[in-house]
Structure formats: C-alpha cells, structure tokens
Amino acid sequence: KGWWIPIRPGGDLALAMGMIRWIVEHRRYDEAFLRNANQAAAVAGTEKSWTSVSWLVDVSTGKFLRAAAIGIGDENEFVILRDGHPMAVNPDGKVPPIVGDLDVSTTLKNNIVAKSAFRLLKDAAFEHDLAFYSDESGIPTAEIEALAREFTGHGKKSAIDFYRGPIKVTYGYYAAQAIIA
C-alpha cells in the first residue's frame, strides 16, 4: 500500500519526528537489530548489517565516545554499555559479537556524561508531543499514528522514498536524516 501525505510546506521534519516518537513510544522498532553494535553481532543475529545506535556519545562534544577516553580500548574503538557495563567495540570486528544496551544515559570514568545514539534520538523526538508534530506538519495526529503503525507493520519490507521536498529547506539535511531514521 502506498501513501501520499500532503505535508504542510516545511513540515517534513515534524512528520518524521512525530513518527519516530510514536514508534519509540510503542516499541515498534527492531530492537534485536538495533542492538547489534558490530559485524560479528550482525552475523550472529543473521542480519545483513549493524548499527551505531547503541554506541555512546560524549554529550559534551556530540561525538561518539572512543574507548581510549575511558581506558578500555584504543582510539579506533567505540563504547557501548552491555547490561550496564562499558565495553569497547570495533564496528568491523569479526569476533566477539557485541550487542549493546539501547536506551542509555550515564556518567562514566573521567566524569564523561554519555548517552547512546538511540537515547539522543529518543530525547529529541520526545521534546514535543504528537499534537505539536501534527500542528507543524499539517497532518492530523491520528494520521501520523496510522502512518507509523502501517510503516512498522511490515518489518524489514517497509521502505520510504523522498526527494526534493524535504531537503529543499534550510533544515533539509536534518529532515532527510529524520526520515531515514
């Protein structure tokens, strides 16, 4: 089934963020896939790829936290929490499979405040309620919910296509990234 959504000009980011909020709030995301932090985890989980959403971000810099910063690895490795414990992760690592916690906000060694990329996206989406996203996008709340439900109802067979509309505004890059997310 295809959807055509007549978004208010400039409302693409609001629609995407509203969908993200609903998807996270209703846990309609593929948690097992999203927790795969490296190639080995993807292979073990019979996935074609892995993600960086369980990787920790140093909130003071906005950059992925390097394992060397907290003394658990080197500059080529990142950090995840697994069951609340920090671990170094090499994204291309063939062993061991590294599966990270998704919704993380913590303070680590050296007083580094870190959040998972997933948590940062969740925090951004939850800055506003669906009524706000509805007003900004011109799409009724019930339609945002229905669209998010339909989109998440087909597992990995769902797809989104966008082109000029969302990216031809001042914040177009961010709209595109929210649509991709």
Side-chain angles (χ1 to χ4, degrees):
K1 175 181 180 178
W3 289 67
W4 179 73
I5 307 296
I7 301 167
R8 175 181 294 133
D12 306 277
L13 177 58
L15 174 60
M17 293 302 287
M19 287 179 64
I20 290 168
R21 181 188 168 106
W22 188 92
I23 290 166
V24 171
E25 196 167 23
H26 292 88
R27 297 184 63 97
R28 299 277 296 216
Y29 49 86
D30 186 346
E31 183 172 353
F33 169 72
L34 292 176
R35 293 183 65 198
N36 291 333
N38 69 352
Q39 183 177 3
V43 170
T46 65
E47 297 286 353
K48 295 180 181 182
S49 188
W50 59 98
T51 76
S52 59
V53 297
S54 65
W55 299 2
L56 299 185
V57 174
D58 179 337
V59 298
S60 69
T61 65
K63 296 180 179 179
F64 283 119
L65 181 62
R66 300 296 179 146
I70 61 168
I72 63 169
D74 63 39
E75 282 297 322
N76 297 320
E77 296 174 304
F78 299 98
V79 179
I80 58 103
L81 285 192
R82 181 163 52 192
D83 300 324
H85 299 90
M87 291 184 64
V89 60
N90 173 351
D92 299 319
K94 307 249 187 286
V95 290
I98 305 289
V99 176
D101 299 338
L102 276 185
D103 197 356
V104 175
S105 180
T106 190
T107 302
L108 299 166
K109 186 177 177 183
N110 301 329
N111 289 320
I112 295 173
V113 177
K115 293 183 177 187
S116 63
F118 178 87
R119 177 60 176 265
L120 291 171
L121 178 62
K122 177 182 175 182
D123 288 351
F126 280 65
E127 284 180 11
H128 303 289
D129 60 16
L130 281 183
F132 172 86
Y133 293 126
S134 173
D135 289 344
E136 292 295 309
S137 66
I139 306 300
T141 300
E143 196 167 339
I144 294 173
E145 292 172 350
L147 183 59
R149 185 178 294 108
E150 175 74 16
F151 184 74
T152 59
H154 301 281
K156 296 179 188 321
K157 295 179 183 176
S158 293
I160 250 180
D161 186 23
F162 67 93
Y163 188 53
R164 294 180 184 216
I167 62 171
K168 290 294 187 174
V169 294
T170 303
Y171 60 84
Y173 171 81
Y174 301 102
Q177 291 304 309
I179 291 168
I180 291 166

